[in-house]
Amino acid sequence: MPELPEVETVRRIVDQTILGRRITSVTFRDFPGVLESSIPGIDPAATMLNRSIVATGRRGKYLMLHLDKGVSLVVHLRMTGRLLLVPHDAEPVRFEHLAIGLDDAMDLRFADQRKFGRITLADSGTIDALDRKLGPEPDSPRLTASSLQHSLQRRPGKIKHALLDQSLIAGLGNIYVDESLYRSRINPERISRTLTVEEASRLLRAIRHVLRLALENQGTTFSSFENPYGESGSNASFLRAYGRAGQPCLRCGSTLERTVVAGRGTTYCPVCQPIESSLDHS
DNA sequence: CATTACCTGCAA
DNA sequence: TTGCAGGTAATG
């Protein structure tokens, strides 16, 4: 499931490969609905044709391909979406929905087994609205232990639910939320508003550590993630919580448990991540 | 606040 | 044959 490190891995490869290239063809495969327009009355395929890719960007899990004349393609991979770089004459890949032909005889292909992912043609107003809707990037200096705790104090519900909310912090998904909570020893069902500033600090440091490690490893390939060259990421073997239910905690040896929190499969250590505050020894 | 829809390969 | 996987939007 592509989260921030996976999307950033894709962005870096795409950036060094297609920057400056011009779109020479747009070919739909079995699910044309993958390409949308956020600008009413504008045909996305016709509009992107013959424009060049002038910059790439990322905001949370959204990948942006900025074209000339002020329009952008906003890509969201959701769960099983993939962007691939292949020669223009290559056969369609499995689950391919869109082929974007480039003027160097390469194609940027979008494939998605489950058809949840989208490529949206957007103007600057749409990009700005997206930017405002999302919370800070995890590495933003404006995000501090104090600001995080402050946000959490005014929020109902469980910490895991809060961390999955892209308007609190942008870019975390189920894998890195579980990893971050495990590293910071916070129970996923802890009520957000009860976190101390010390815990918020631990949590923020854990989030940054977990994401940086994943990015260094070019993402977590648990089931299907691949970079645009079809290569897997190597972060899966570094995961300490996600996918390890029933296995021993690498800190204390207890058996990791699996529950459902915020509607998501959740793995945690019942000993290292007690439901009480770690500061509460009563 | 919680649940469901959207999808479909794959494990059980 | 059933149900799980999960990001986001849309419900209830």
Side-chain angles (χ1 to χ4, degrees):
Chain A
M1 313 98 224
E3 304 176 29
L4 189 155
E6 289 75 32
V7 178
E8 179 63 15
T9 296
V10 171
R11 188 200 66 78
R12 290 180 179 184
I13 289 172
V14 162
D15 185 88
Q16 68 191 21
T17 308
I18 70 171
L19 217 56
R21 298 276 64 79
R22 185 172 54 87
I23 295 172
T24 54
S25 65
V26 178
T27 307
F28 294 102
R29 306 290 187 198
D30 62 287
F31 176 52
V34 69
L35 182 63
E36 299 181 324
S37 174
S38 68
I39 317 165
I42 295 297
D43 174 41
T47 305
M48 59 198 273
L49 198 61
N50 291 318
R51 298 197 198 219
S52 295
I53 297 142
V54 298
T56 70
R58 182 193 53 75
R59 188 74 172 85
K61 303 171 195 172
Y62 294 85
L63 170 65
M64 261 92 69
L65 307 179
H66 300 296
L67 311 182
D68 58 23
K69 292 184 271 186
V71 299
S72 304
L73 295 173
V74 178
V75 182
H76 201 300
L77 302 172
R78 294 290 185 103
M79 268 89 76
T80 51
R82 291 186 298 161
L83 273 182
L84 296 165
L85 285 161
V86 298
H88 184 63
D89 56 10
E91 289 294 306
V93 301
R94 197 145 128 95
F95 310 121
E96 181 174 316
H97 303 310
L98 192 71
I100 301 173
L102 305 171
D103 63 0
D104 63 351
M106 291 293 283
D107 271 6
L108 188 62
R109 307 269 182 95
F110 186 86
D112 188 1
Q113 176 209 130
R114 292 168 74 177
K115 304 179 183 174
F116 284 2
R118 290 291 182 274
I119 298 181
T120 308
L121 184 78
D123 55 16
S124 63
T126 304
I127 304 267
D128 288 347
L130 179 62
D131 185 57
R132 284 192 300 272
K133 182 181 76 170
L134 296 172
E137 291 291 313
D139 65 355
S140 165
R142 292 204 308 278
L143 178 62
T144 64
S146 160
S147 76
L148 177 58
Q149 193 219 13
H150 192 252
S151 305
L152 291 173
Q153 277 191 330
R154 287 175 291 110
R155 169 183 282 274
K158 299 168 180 175
I159 185 62
K160 171 147 185 174
H161 187 262
L163 294 178
L164 288 168
D165 184 343
Q166 303 300 296
S167 71
L168 180 76
I169 301 175
L172 296 175
N174 203 36
I175 294 176
Y176 299 117
V177 166
D178 274 13
E179 290 301 299
S180 300
L181 290 170
Y182 175 83
R183 282 201 71 93
S184 55
R185 309 185 193 203
I186 296 169
N187 188 285
E189 304 208 55
R190 269 289 294 285
I191 301 304
S192 295
R193 62 178 159 72
T194 69
L195 260 71
T196 65
V197 70
E198 193 274 333
E199 287 173 314
S201 174
R202 247 166 44 210
L203 177 57
L204 184 54
R205 275 185 278 119
I207 289 169
R208 287 171 169 161
H209 175 93
V210 158
L211 294 180
R212 181 177 50 76
L213 179 67
L215 185 55
E216 283 173 7
N217 289 307
Q218 298 176 79
T220 297
T221 297
F222 204 83
S223 49
S224 67
F225 171 72
E226 289 181 346
N227 74 23
Y229 295 137
E231 300 162 341
S232 295
S234 56
N235 195 61
S237 60
F238 293 89
L239 299 179
R240 298 186 185 184
Y242 185 90
R244 295 195 68 251
Q247 296 178 237
C249 170
L250 296 173
R251 257 190 320 246
C252 76
S254 307
T255 302
L256 298 185
E257 288 187 3
R258 188 187 135 72
T259 57
V260 175
V261 180
R264 304 301 208 303
T266 299
T267 303
Y268 71 105
C269 175
V271 174
C272 293
Q273 298 167 268
I275 188 67
E276 319 83 49
S277 162
S278 60
L279 296 180
D280 179 6
H281 294 289
S282 60

